[in-house]
Amino acid sequence: MTAAVRAKGAGKTNVDRFLTVLRVVMIGFIAISLVAFIAQQIAPENPFAEWRHGDEGATRLSWAQYRGLLVTGISQGAMYGLIALGYSMVYGVLGFINFAHGEVFMVSAFTGFIVSTKFDAAGWWEGAAFFPAIIITVALCVIVSTSTAVIMERVAYRRLRGSPRLIPLITSIGVSFFIQEAVRLVFGPGAKGYPSNPDWLEERLPWLGIEVKKLVVIIIAAIAMAGLWYFVERTKTGKAMRAVAEDKEIASLMGIDVDKTIVKTFAVGGAMAGVAGILWGILFRSVINTTGFLPGIKAFTAAVVGGVGNLGGAMAGGVSLGGAEALGPLMILEPWGIPGVSQLRDAVAFTVLILVLLVKPTGLFGERLSSEERA
Amino acid sequence: MSHLLEIEQLSVTFGGLHALKDLDFHVDEGEIVGVIGPNGAGKTTFFNMISGMVTPTAGDIRFEGESLIGLDPNQVTQRGIARTFQNVRLFANMTILENVMVSQHCRAQQNIFGALFNTKGFKEEEAEIRRRGEEILGFFGSRLVGYRLEQPASVLSYANRRRLEIARAMATRPKLILLDEPVAGMNPMESRELTGLIGRLRSEWGFTIVMIEHDMDVVRDVSDRVVVLDHGETLAQGSFEDVSTNPAVIEAYLGRPLEDRAAADRPMEEQS
Amino acid sequence: MSAVTASTGMPTAVSKGAFDVDWRQIARTGGLLALGLVFIALTGMPVGLDERTVIEPWLSLGLLSLTFLPFVLGYTVGHEKVLEGVAAKAKGARDVVAGAAVGALGGLGLSVLVVLVDNFDLRDPLVNWSPQLVEMLSFDQSVGFGFVAWIAISGALGAAGGALHVLPHQVRRAVVAAILAVLLTAIFESFLTDVIDQLEFLYASRGGLTNVWAVVVFVVAMAVSLSGGGEKLGERRAAYQAASGPAKNRQTALFIAAFSLAMIIIPLVTGKITQELMANVGIFMLLALGLNIVVGLAGILDLGYVAFFAVGGYTTAVLTSPNRGPDWPSWVPTLDGPGGWLIALAVTIVMAIFAGLVIGAPVIRMRGDYLAIVTLGFGEIIRLLFLSDWLGGYFNGAQGITNIPSADFGIFEVKGTDPRSVFYLVMVLAAISIYISWRLEHSRLGRAWMAVREDESVAEAMGINTVNVKLMAFVVGAALASFAGAVFSAKVGSIFPTSFLILVSIVILVIVIVGGMGNIVGVMVGALGLVGVLGGPKQPGLLQEFSEYKLLIYGALLIWMMLNRPEGLVPNVRRSRELHQDEFLQDAWLRGEVDRDESTTEAEASANLADGLGTNGGAS
């Protein structure tokens, strides 16, 4: 043991050293920021804050403001988690990143927009009629997004089984662009507004101060996640999926229809993205053809943070990413006196991705991949 | 005395499974050592560890007195240990000549500027790399040279792929070559020929060789010394005769003790 | 009539005839065609492109966007893969029938669409669900006319497509060549008339070939093809590829000389618009050449390539523009005098190399697909940083850096208002890039890249420091991208964060892939074909009307290429071997090139054994 430890570092290259320095710097930076942040919360006029912010010192936000940000982050993260499930499952089964998965989400949000405006025109988007209307909307969104995912697999990916692994990834970039542009051309450019939510959704809960719609988003995401968990862990189809993820050849020898199982994987992933899409619509009430791009990338980040192939990890990763994105700029960047930190939200999300891959490439909760896909 | 390669108390575990346990091993310069053992004995893991592809949990590997632990595979090759793979892994879409040329990468000096300005040094080095490549391929007779040079490696027959793998290992200009089942899948004639080539690798090229092999004829013919692994541990060491009559070895191979016959007799009959 | 044949089960003798076709496949292809046509109609292409005529007065680009598909699918439905040694099905009337059926089925889709659009109002979500669509689809006649017309037109085109199978091989090629020639002459109208003013007689006054000249072009192209013009060209190419040694070098040199001469002369005779276009093509060619090293040679999928373009552009801008952010310390000079651009270029390259190292080092060890997404993240981070208020004191945020002076070399000046000078500058830099790519590909580094692309862990075991080698590709690619960035800022005169969207990365990637990964000529062809004809992310191409649809086409093209021709239009020999290894081996086997284990002879074996064991005192 001692020998192995002692000799470690013998083969360090310059790249290794650079990365070590980078890790240390990044972690150190974050640590100092956090300390400065806490100091600033306790005493806004501390020397560090004065140094970075000038004489007037740093501004202190109230805890209610932080709670608000955190809840927003978590509800958004819940959606990342739902989308991440699709990335994770497809990566587990086919070993490639379905770059176009974010578009499945966008298509669902668009469907939600179309259906909800129609309901709104008919006066169903308020009062008691809202409940049947929203249920129908969700059902339609899920159907459309599931079909999108399945068609995608059938048209583009099925013919690419067994080709070098970057080929399906490049194809999926093409698919992503195609869907984005098709939606723009067919439904017109510009953001589309959802009808106003019923009043009770916009209200805040009296004792927690949380907006009802955010709570609803979190709850629905949790229910969808639980359903998926049951499906994958307890049903026969779920077992088949796990078997195919482990080894396609052996699974097919065991009498599992691999193609069908892969289609089902895409369908389930698509359904989850569908749920996320309509939730997005209710939360932000706006959708545009590029809506899928950033959430898509962030959901992938969430999947990596949680460990690809690990479903619980995907959800946890999504929630942590949402939280990090909401609070990160304020807690890490703001103490340094950087102006306009909210502009850097997306940059923070990407930095999380890079940091996780640098420090713990298998994700916080561990990857679950077969050995061939790990290579 | 100091050995060329010296391995002390080497262990590795994969998720609780001891792939190798407290292995001691050494090779002297100019030796040909055969490593045998039943399937799953940890032979390939042993090679992977020497060549830096797997990091041991404990123990030390010293090559020419310097520890190899923590080195990347390319650094190990740079120090002078080359290997072949059990499941032949050529650069299938590169030509045969390119396969041996690319393996001289770590012995070449020219940098990017030499290439850009096509300097005299660059041209000379390229020519030398090419000449060496052809020389090495020539070692295997006419099979890998001539019109074959410019053909992709994927068109080669199985036996020739194995030969090209050895050629590729030779091209890295190693002191020690690790051969992982060099004659697997060859017919008896081919394996006899290759046995001879392995001998010539030492006599003509001065390589020291460690070889994993299942074919006992080859092991007997060419090895100075044989090491038997089983369940990640050294079962026996010594000359082929000693090892092949060792009851523990026979038990490991056949699963039960036997009278002297079985394992020991077969090679005896064929000896001329 | 067709349905009757299928359902009544005609006697076998008859079923060998014209109607013995695979009805299920026809239904499937026809359905796809219908969906495709309706989709195209709803994207607004037919209406939007109706103004641009291809053949005056009856064929507009809009109409073409609907009519090419039945023709193509009418052909492909009769297409079958013929395996070596298996007799191909006889071609005949069957193919025409199948094509017609597919076409009619697809046309039915449009017919139904006309009726629907005329009767229901779905304009709310579907923006192109408009009266203009009805007018266009019914040819300004009644809806009923449109309904029948589309079935007939599409059916006829499908039949024509199917009929291609019946024609002898040479004639078929000639027809296809002639059709392409007509379309290309029409599409390149502005370019051709720009180069040779006298060619205007070909075209009608409001654009588009005139009927007469369309026929003439068609006939001429067909005659050329039939006389074996194309074949001779093909033979020349094959001969060139097969050649080696000094003869080949001489031919290559000749080719390069001719090409360079053309590149010098063409901008002299063309107008500003064409020059501008060529300058844009050049900039994207530069970028694509750089990405080609990363993706094509080293096999690293870098989706954040635009980051280096941005670093190049911004560095040059900061060093030359008086309008850079106010926070720069005074020791950072403003190089707006003669020769300043060259110094800025040198600094830019250094900065790009630095950026390449900093971005490359953390990502280079990652799995290929992770690397793709992480580089995409880096590309976005760099843009967000240029955009942010935080660095606003340096880069002016969304306002960007304006007033970037032109590149002044003392003797002559390269400025945006003179696209010809930009083009020449770009060509010089492209020549440098090409030289670098070519030298590196055939050096030890190029071989190492190849090995890494094939099997990274074996390459590592063969003594190649894969991290360094890949990082080198990353850095060289970054340096080449910074060339483009430096030219870009001098040309445009002002740069904004929105000039460097991820979209740019994707467009460059499409150029490299469509052209042919790892092939310099391919990359040039890709840049010319895509940016030249369709246009870059923000730059118009020859088909200016297409700007609305070009990204859709980029996406579709990327998918189609990956599915059908992943090696690109002008493939790199090795790349195609990698992508089609099974086919390659089959071909080699058929040609008798696969080595069939010439077995070792007894004598050889014994001799060798004796040789080898002579010094072995061990066992024997």
Side-chain angles (χ1 to χ4, degrees):
Chain A
M1 194 69 190
T2 49
V5 173
R6 184 201 54 201
K8 269 259 173 192
K12 288 254 165 164
T13 60
N14 290 331
V15 174
D16 288 317
R17 283 185 207 110
F18 173 75
L19 288 186
T20 314
V21 171
L22 194 69
R23 286 188 196 105
V24 171
V25 167
M26 281 177 98
I27 291 170
F29 177 78
I30 291 171
I32 296 173
S33 310
L34 285 178
V35 171
F37 167 75
I38 293 166
Q40 168 180 325
Q41 279 302 309
I42 299 166
E45 286 88 24
N46 68 63
F48 185 86
E50 271 167 19
W51 172 47
R52 296 309 312 175
H53 289 261
D55 290 336
E56 68 269 33
T59 41
R60 176 160 57 175
L61 295 186
S62 71
W63 291 116
Q65 280 166 307
Y66 280 108
R67 189 180 52 205
L69 281 173
L70 189 63
V71 172
T72 309
I74 289 176
S75 56
Q76 213 165 325
M79 283 182 287
Y80 296 155
L82 283 179
I83 309 172
L85 293 170
Y87 278 108
S88 221
M89 291 173 71
V90 169
Y91 201 99
V93 169
L94 283 179
F96 84 97
I97 300 171
N98 179 13
F99 197 82
H101 188 61
E103 308 320 323
V104 175
F105 159 79
M106 182 270 289
V107 165
S108 160
F110 242 94
T111 314
F113 154 72
I114 293 168
V115 178
S116 65
T117 40
K118 295 291 169 208
F119 274 126
D120 188 46
W124 278 43
W125 203 248
E126 57 203 350
F130 178 72
F131 290 99
I134 188 79
I135 287 171
I136 295 171
T137 312
V138 170
L140 282 173
C141 285
V142 169
I143 291 170
V144 170
S145 63
T146 307
S147 339
T148 310
V150 168
I151 293 172
M152 215 190 266
E153 193 273 337
R154 186 67 195 82
V155 175
Y157 305 143
R158 185 170 297 180
R159 287 165 63 188
L160 295 172
R161 299 255 167 86
S163 44
R165 61 195 290 138
L166 288 185
I167 300 290
L169 174 60
I170 297 174
T171 312
S172 69
I173 294 171
V175 172
S176 168
F177 255 71
F178 184 81
I179 297 181
Q180 261 184 37
E181 285 300 306
V183 166
R184 183 175 68 85
L185 290 171
V186 172
F187 297 103
K192 314 281 176 199
Y194 269 59
S196 322
N197 291 326
D199 293 338
W200 59 270
L201 267 180
E202 297 291 342
E203 273 168 19
R204 283 170 188 278
L205 286 179
W207 67 96
L208 276 171
I210 301 173
E211 283 161 276
V212 175
K213 64 177 179 185
K214 288 178 184 164
L215 198 65
V216 168
V217 165
I218 295 171
I219 291 171
I220 293 182
I223 293 172
M225 174 69 207
L228 180 77
W229 180 84
Y230 180 82
F231 180 75
V232 173
E233 297 289 324
R234 291 294 146 87
T235 63
K236 219 175 150 189
T237 321
K239 267 186 204 145
M241 278 179 195
R242 282 182 286 146
V244 171
E246 198 54 49
D247 192 326
K248 281 190 262 307
E249 217 164 284
I250 304 284
S252 81
L253 288 175
M254 295 296 123
I256 294 169
D257 185 336
V258 173
D259 273 343
K260 244 185 208 157
T261 312
I262 290 174
V263 168
K264 281 178 191 158
T265 311
F266 270 88
V268 174
M272 290 293 135
V275 175
I278 179 70
L279 291 181
W280 180 278
I282 289 172
L283 199 56
F284 297 105
R285 301 207 8 255
S286 165
V287 60
I288 187 172
N289 69 315
T290 49
T291 294
F293 180 73
L294 272 182
I297 305 282
K298 287 179 188 167
F300 172 74
T301 306
V304 172
V305 169
V308 171
N310 182 337
L311 297 188
M315 204 66 203
V319 173
S320 3
L321 183 71
E325 201 185 58
L327 293 179
L330 273 175
M331 292 171 69
I332 312 289
L333 298 179
E334 211 273 339
W336 294 88
I338 293 169
V341 286
S342 57
Q343 292 170 329
L344 296 172
R345 256 172 56 114
D346 296 336
V348 167
F350 289 126
T351 314
V352 168
L353 174 65
I354 294 162
L355 202 64
V356 167
L357 284 176
L358 270 183
V359 177
K360 203 163 184 304
T362 53
L364 300 180
F365 304 94
E367 281 179 322
R368 290 190 194 153
L369 292 178
S370 61
S371 49
E372 57 181 308
E373 268 136 25
R374 230 172 272 136
Chain B
M1 66 175 260
S2 101
H3 305 288
L4 181 68
L5 179 77
E6 201 169 5
I7 289 172
E8 262 175 25
Q9 298 289 305
L10 194 70
S11 299
V12 69
T13 51
F14 296 124
L17 177 82
H18 282 279
L20 281 181
K21 205 174 156 200
D22 298 334
L23 185 76
D24 288 312
F25 180 85
H26 68 90
V27 184
D28 286 319
E29 191 139 7
E31 254 189 320
I32 297 183
V33 179
V35 177
I36 62 172
N39 286 325
K43 303 184 297 288
T44 296
T45 308
F46 175 58
F47 269 21
N48 284 344
M49 227 166 325
I50 300 175
S51 56
M53 297 172 106
V54 173
T55 315
T57 355
D60 199 4
I61 304 172
R62 278 194 303 278
F63 183 67
E64 296 184 310
E66 283 177 65
S67 173
L68 297 180
I69 306 285
L71 292 190
D72 287 339
N74 69 308
Q75 292 165 321
V76 174
T77 310
Q78 173 89 39
R79 301 249 172 128
I81 300 181
R83 68 169 294 178
T84 66
F85 294 89
Q86 184 184 352
N87 50 340
V88 190
R89 288 168 77 178
L90 292 170
F91 302 120
N93 299 304
M94 292 168 71
T95 67
I96 287 158
L97 183 60
E98 279 167 349
N99 262 284
V100 277
M101 281 172 84
V102 78
S103 304
Q104 298 175 51
H105 187 88
C106 63
R107 303 290 169 221
Q109 315 295 326
Q110 287 292 323
N111 60 17
I112 191 164
F113 296 103
L116 285 187
F117 301 114
N118 204 10
T119 57
K120 191 158 167 265
F122 174 78
K123 279 191 225 162
E124 280 169 4
E125 192 181 86
E126 282 291 294
E128 169 65 15
I129 288 175
R130 198 186 165 89
R131 190 198 61 74
R132 253 193 94 83
E134 285 173 8
E135 180 193 354
I136 289 169
L137 291 172
F139 176 64
F140 295 90
S142 60
R143 296 180 188 88
L144 299 177
V145 291
Y147 74 104
R148 286 252 178 257
L149 285 176
E150 301 299 334
Q151 282 191 324
S154 56
V155 305
L156 287 179
S157 72
Y158 186 76
N160 276 346
R161 287 184 204 195
R162 285 230 173 266
R163 293 182 184 115
L164 181 55
E165 267 231 330
I166 297 174
R168 205 173 54 171
M170 292 161 69
T172 67
R173 298 185 214 170
K175 299 192 180 76
L176 172 66
I177 297 187
L178 310 175
L179 298 175
D180 200 343
E181 301 197 16
V183 306
M186 288 188 175
N187 67 33
M189 210 76 86
E190 287 164 340
S191 61
R192 282 184 65 193
E193 186 216 349
L194 198 75
T195 312
L197 284 178
I198 292 170
R200 283 171 58 199
L201 279 181
R202 172 172 62 181
S203 57
E204 291 173 20
W205 295 74
F207 296 132
T208 306
I209 291 164
V210 178
M211 169 181 74
I212 294 175
E213 191 43 73
H214 279 300
D215 187 326
M216 290 306 162
D217 291 345
V218 178
V219 177
R220 179 203 60 207
D221 285 349
V222 85
S223 319
D224 301 322
R225 192 154 56 84
V226 177
V227 176
V228 189
L229 291 186
D230 188 31
H231 291 108
E233 292 178 70
T234 328
L235 210 57
Q237 275 202 55
S239 72
F240 183 79
E241 278 73 21
D242 294 348
V243 165
S244 59
T245 50
N246 184 322
V249 176
I250 296 165
E251 188 185 335
Y253 268 90
L254 301 176
R256 62 198 156 88
L258 260 189
E259 286 77 15
D260 304 332
R261 291 212 48 171
D265 272 8
R266 199 174 57 94
M268 293 301 185
E269 288 162 10
E270 283 175 25
Q271 220 157 8
S272 43
Chain C
M1 42 121 203
S2 49
V4 176
T5 331
S7 59
T8 52
M10 299 289 265
T12 41
V14 178
S15 73
K16 286 276 178 212
F19 295 99
D20 174 34
V21 284
D22 185 350
W23 289 107
R24 276 186 54 190
Q25 201 198 343
I26 286 178
R28 210 182 313 134
T29 320
L32 267 178
L33 177 60
L35 282 177
L37 290 177
V38 169
F39 172 72
I40 292 176
L42 288 180
T43 56
M45 247 188 255
V47 176
L49 298 177
D50 205 25
E51 289 305 305
R52 165 96 187 228
T53 44
V54 175
I55 301 173
E56 177 70 18
W58 54 276
L59 185 62
S60 72
L61 206 52
L63 194 59
L64 187 65
S65 71
L66 286 175
T67 44
F68 82 96
L69 211 52
F71 184 76
V72 171
L73 285 188
Y75 175 72
T76 49
V77 74
H79 203 70
E80 53 180 343
K81 272 198 181 145
V82 182
L83 296 174
E84 197 77 31
V86 180
K89 274 195 212 155
K91 297 293 176 191
R94 288 181 321 136
D95 295 301
V96 183
V97 172
V102 165
L105 214 55
L108 186 65
L110 279 184
S111 304
V112 172
L113 183 72
V114 186
V115 175
L116 286 178
V117 176
D118 196 42
N119 288 300
F120 299 93
D121 179 22
L122 283 181
R123 199 149 187 198
D124 184 4
L126 303 169
V127 287
N128 295 306
W129 190 275
S130 61
Q132 289 95 306
L133 184 63
V134 178
E135 262 170 48
M136 146 106 209
L137 288 182
S138 54
F139 304 96
D140 298 327
Q141 312 281 327
S142 71
V143 171
F145 176 83
F147 188 92
V148 179
W150 273 108
I151 299 183
I153 293 174
S154 180
L157 285 166
L164 283 183
H165 285 291
V166 184
L167 298 175
H169 178 65
Q170 254 199 332
V171 182
R172 186 181 347 158
R173 254 206 346 215
V175 170
V176 173
I179 293 175
L180 285 178
V182 171
L183 292 183
L184 288 178
T185 329
I187 287 170
F188 286 108
E189 178 181 339
S190 60
F191 176 75
L192 289 176
T193 51
D194 204 13
V195 178
I196 309 168
D197 291 334
Q198 287 75 19
L199 278 179
E200 260 163 29
F201 66 88
L202 287 173
Y203 302 100
S205 53
R206 60 177 277 254
L209 280 169
T210 56
N211 275 322
V212 179
W213 284 108
V215 172
V216 172
V217 171
F218 190 91
V219 171
V220 169
M222 202 155 158
V224 169
S225 176
L226 278 179
S227 68
E231 250 165 52
K232 267 177 212 148
L233 209 68
E235 277 164 24
R236 286 285 281 277
R237 216 183 115 207
Y240 170 73
Q241 276 170 348
S244 63
K248 182 167 183 167
N249 290 346
R250 209 175 314 124
Q251 282 183 16
T252 313
L254 209 67
F255 177 75
I256 292 175
F259 184 78
S260 315
L261 205 66
M263 285 298 109
I264 293 171
I265 291 173
I266 289 176
L268 291 176
V269 295
T270 58
K272 269 228 159 104
I273 298 178
T274 312
Q275 290 168 0
E276 171 76 25
L277 192 96
M278 289 175 78
N280 285 333
V281 170
I283 288 181
F284 277 90
M285 195 186 282
L286 263 181
L287 285 167
L289 282 168
L291 187 64
N292 179 47
I293 291 186
V294 186
V295 176
L297 297 185
I300 308 168
L301 185 57
D302 178 2
L303 294 182
Y305 192 63
V306 68
F308 305 122
F309 184 39
V311 166
Y314 266 96
T315 312
T316 310
V318 161
L319 286 176
T320 58
S321 167
N323 274 13
R324 64 184 187 203
D327 288 0
W328 287 102
S330 55
W331 54 264
V332 178
T334 304
L335 304 160
D336 46 7
W341 187 83
L342 271 183
I343 303 172
L345 178 67
V347 179
T348 301
I349 294 173
V350 173
M351 284 306 294
I353 289 175
F354 179 71
L357 285 172
V358 169
I359 295 181
V363 303
I364 216 74
R365 275 182 207 263
M366 291 175 189
R367 283 203 283 263
D369 38 8
Y370 278 23
L371 185 142
I373 306 288
V374 173
T375 48
L376 186 124
F378 265 119
E380 203 52 10
I381 288 179
I382 297 251
R383 188 179 68 85
L384 289 170
L385 287 180
F386 283 132
L387 180 65
S388 68
D389 288 350
W390 175 32
L391 300 179
Y394 299 95
F395 304 113
N396 293 341
Q399 275 83 48
I401 299 179
T402 50
N403 262 338
I404 303 166
S406 49
D408 190 348
F409 291 95
I411 341 159
F412 75 104
E413 205 179 349
V414 173
K415 51 182 183 241
T417 48
D418 178 13
R420 192 191 318 172
S421 61
V422 177
F423 178 75
Y424 285 140
L425 176 61
V426 164
M427 280 301 123
V428 170
L429 293 176
I432 296 174
S433 303
I434 290 170
Y435 179 76
I436 292 177
S437 313
W438 171 70
R439 289 299 316 169
L440 290 185
E441 188 184 347
H442 296 98
S443 74
R444 143 183 120 97
L445 193 58
R447 279 195 301 269
W449 283 336
M450 237 188 294
V452 167
R453 216 168 59 202
E454 288 232 344
D455 190 332
E456 204 171 325
S457 58
V458 175
E460 175 92 27
M462 289 302 128
I464 295 168
N465 187 337
T466 52
V467 171
N468 282 1
V469 164
K470 283 161 76 182
L471 202 54
M472 194 59 106
F474 219 76
V475 167
V476 174
L480 296 191
S482 72
F483 282 9
V487 179
F488 181 76
S489 46
K491 170 179 179 285
V492 183
S494 51
I495 53 172
F496 313 98
T498 49
S499 316
F500 306 106
L501 296 173
I502 289 297
L503 180 64
V504 180
S505 295
I506 308 287
V507 167
I508 306 168
L509 181 69
V510 180
I511 293 174
V512 172
I513 284 169
V514 170
M517 279 185 277
N519 187 313
I520 295 168
V521 178
V523 169
M524 291 165 73
V525 169
L528 206 63
L530 290 175
V531 180
V533 177
L534 290 175
K538 288 194 170 154
Q539 297 76 5
L542 270 179
L543 285 174
Q544 290 186 19
E545 298 80 354
F546 253 66
S547 58
E548 186 72 2
Y549 312 103
K550 66 188 168 199
L551 294 179
L552 183 80
I553 296 171
Y554 272 112
L557 212 53
L558 194 55
I559 304 172
W560 191 86
M561 288 304 282
M562 280 292 117
L563 290 178
N564 296 300
R565 212 179 147 84
E567 68 275 27
L569 292 177
V570 188
N572 172 316
V573 183
R574 279 194 188 79
R575 268 288 187 179
S576 29
R577 254 187 235 152
E578 281 162 36
L579 291 162
H580 299 283
Q581 206 179 57
D582 294 347
E583 289 99 317
F584 170 77
L585 274 180
Q586 274 178 14
D587 289 354
W589 187 79
L590 286 168
R591 285 197 305 268
E593 279 173 12
V594 169
D595 136 37
R596 293 190 184 79
D597 258 337
E598 60 272 30
S599 54
T600 314
T601 60
E602 174 71 50
E604 234 182 324
S606 310
N608 234 319
L609 195 61
D611 267 7
L613 303 182
T615 52
N616 179 7
S620 46

